Amino acid sequence: MARKPRGRKIRRVVCWTLAGIIVVGGGLGFVAYQHLNGNLSSVDIDAALGKDRPADTDNGSQDILVLGSDSRSGDNKGLAGGDTGGTARSDTAMVVHLPAGRAKATAVSIPRDTLVTRPQCTTDSGKKLPEAQRVMFNSVYTSGGPACVVKTVESMTGIRMDHYVEIDFAGFKDLVDALGGVTITTDKPINDKDSGLHLDAGTHKLNGTESLAFVRTRHGIGDGSDLGRIGLQQKFMLAALSEIKQQGTLSNPAKLYKIANAATKALTTDSGLGSLTDLADFARSLNKLDPSTMQTLMLPVEYDKKDPNRVVAAQPQATELWNALRADQPVPAAARKSPARGGSS
């Protein structure tokens, strides 16, 4: 599966897609449009997966798989964690469900240490991978690439992913800096020598480097697992969405272009969002979305009985969660509880 030439890849939800709202509407002109459009990279997920996919519910809702890969090669090699030799894993994964009307959204984080069954799939290079059981979710990206991750998520959830969005470490950092930072409030101090983040309890305006450390922190919070990090990632996502909404970027063409340039360099999408016009049209469809009403959940998980350092989907909660989203219904309270966290996720 061929990719278009691109800036690079990883991270996070509608906030970066929403930055696409700004891309077309500001009268940036043909040359600027061509430049920004050339920044975008896309992957033809539909061609790679063929027809062996869940049926489209056709109820007006949409589901987007948002990935953040943790490659630390190239532009990313100077970031915390060192060079990974060109490999990457899906360090962050969210299924974002947008009901018909797009006034609300539900984002479900999948812990990267979740043991899953990877279905048979085709890699970027066209190699066929056999089905594999009990593999870590974040390893699927390494072994198979975006299409294999989409197929794995569709197999887990029974939900067809309408779109795929990915952003990389360097792109994430540059986008936050283009925004002028993101304001975060923490209830407790955070000290994580691995991510390099040291914050007192209170409100902070984080720059790109600090924001990247924030969404990668896990050792300085909770039990030090990926489950605590997910809470920080979801908090940051909502804060970034609010920042974009509050800034009134459309009234400032210079800032508009700066943000759009950073966003389009950072993103890899499916081919359905692979042009500036498509991305902007999708983002405009979210203009009713209020970050304060966005529901953030974690896939209900429990610690694996064979390997307590890993988690597995908790049943019947996980099935109830995916069934609710597939039917475009509210997630029941029981499906919002994760045994591995001892309560609501």
Side-chain angles (χ1 to χ4, degrees), residues 264-278:
T264 51
K265 282 182 177 179
L267 290 174
T268 296
T269 70
D270 67 285
S271 54
L273 296 177
S275 76
L276 209 53
T277 302
D278 291 335

Side-chain angles (χ1 to χ4, degrees), residues 32-327:
Y33 176 91
Q34 289 293 91
H35 173 76
L36 296 175
N37 197 58
N39 285 343
L40 284 169
S41 303
S42 65
V43 181
D44 194 343
I45 298 292
D46 289 337
L49 297 186
K51 296 182 178 180
D52 184 20
R53 305 179 66 185
D56 191 338
T57 57
D58 198 27
N59 58 10
S61 65
Q62 286 201 326
D63 295 274
I64 301 98
L65 177 61
V66 181
L67 283 191
S69 72
D70 70 348
S71 173
R72 288 183 292 277
S73 60
D75 286 352
N76 296 332
K77 65 184 178 182
L79 300 174
D83 195 337
T84 59
T87 62
R89 295 159 296 182
S90 51
D91 187 54
T92 300
M94 287 187 182
V95 173
V96 180
H97 177 75
L98 298 166
R102 310 288 189 271
K104 296 182 179 180
T106 299
V108 182
S109 295
I110 301 173
R112 66 177 193 168
D113 294 342
T114 306
L115 295 177
V116 300
T117 296
R118 186 195 69 210
Q120 179 181 326
C121 60
T122 303
T123 69
D124 291 358
S125 62
K127 178 183 176 181
K128 300 287 186 180
L129 287 182
E131 178 181 302
Q133 298 182 350
R134 289 181 59 82
V135 301
M136 277 180 57
F137 179 79
N138 73 335
S139 73
V140 177
Y141 186 99
T142 308
S143 57
C148 284
V149 181
V150 172
K151 190 165 186 178
T152 300
V153 171
E154 290 186 342
S155 178
M156 290 170 59
T157 65
I159 300 172
R160 186 186 182 98
M161 295 296 110
D162 296 288
H163 292 299
Y164 169 85
V165 177
E166 182 185 335
I167 186 171
D168 70 355
F169 275 172
F172 173 82
K173 173 183 174 295
D174 291 344
L175 182 52
V176 172
D177 285 336
L179 281 170
V182 171
T183 301
I184 288 289
T185 299
T186 59
D187 299 327
K188 297 179 180 179
I190 298 175
N191 290 287
D192 186 345
K193 61 180 177 62
D194 292 307
S195 71
L197 184 67
H198 302 281
L199 292 178
D200 294 330
T203 299
H204 308 270
K205 185 87 166 185
L206 304 184
N207 62 24
T209 300
E210 293 164 337
S211 295
L212 181 58
F214 186 84
V215 299
R216 297 191 61 229
T217 286
R218 64 186 176 98
H219 296 296
I221 56 167
D223 63 359
S225 73
D226 191 50
L227 307 187
R229 169 162 48 192
I230 283 173
L232 293 185
Q233 292 172 344
Q234 292 177 338
K235 179 191 286 285
F236 186 89
M237 174 188 66
L238 296 178
L241 280 168
S242 296
E243 197 78 48
I244 292 172
K245 196 175 184 72
Q246 292 169 7
Q247 284 193 14
T249 309
L250 286 172
S251 63
N252 186 336
K255 188 162 190 176
L256 173 98
Y257 184 82
K258 185 178 180 181
I259 294 172
N261 191 45
T264 51
K265 282 182 177 179
L267 290 174
T268 296
T269 70
D270 67 285
S271 54
L273 296 177
S275 76
L276 209 53
T277 302
D278 291 335
L279 189 62
D281 285 346
F282 174 71
R284 286 194 190 96
S285 74
L286 306 178
N287 62 0
K288 296 180 182 178
L289 182 62
D290 183 347
S292 67
T293 66
M294 191 169 183
Q295 184 178 39
T296 56
L297 305 173
M298 185 182 75
L299 172 67
V301 293
E302 59 190 5
Y303 293 108
D304 181 56
K305 292 180 173 59
K306 295 181 179 179
D307 184 353
N309 293 314
R310 304 288 177 256
V311 295
V312 295
Q315 297 297 348
Q317 298 96 317
T319 296
E320 291 171 353
L321 167 64
W322 301 130
N323 285 347
L325 295 187
R326 187 165 54 250

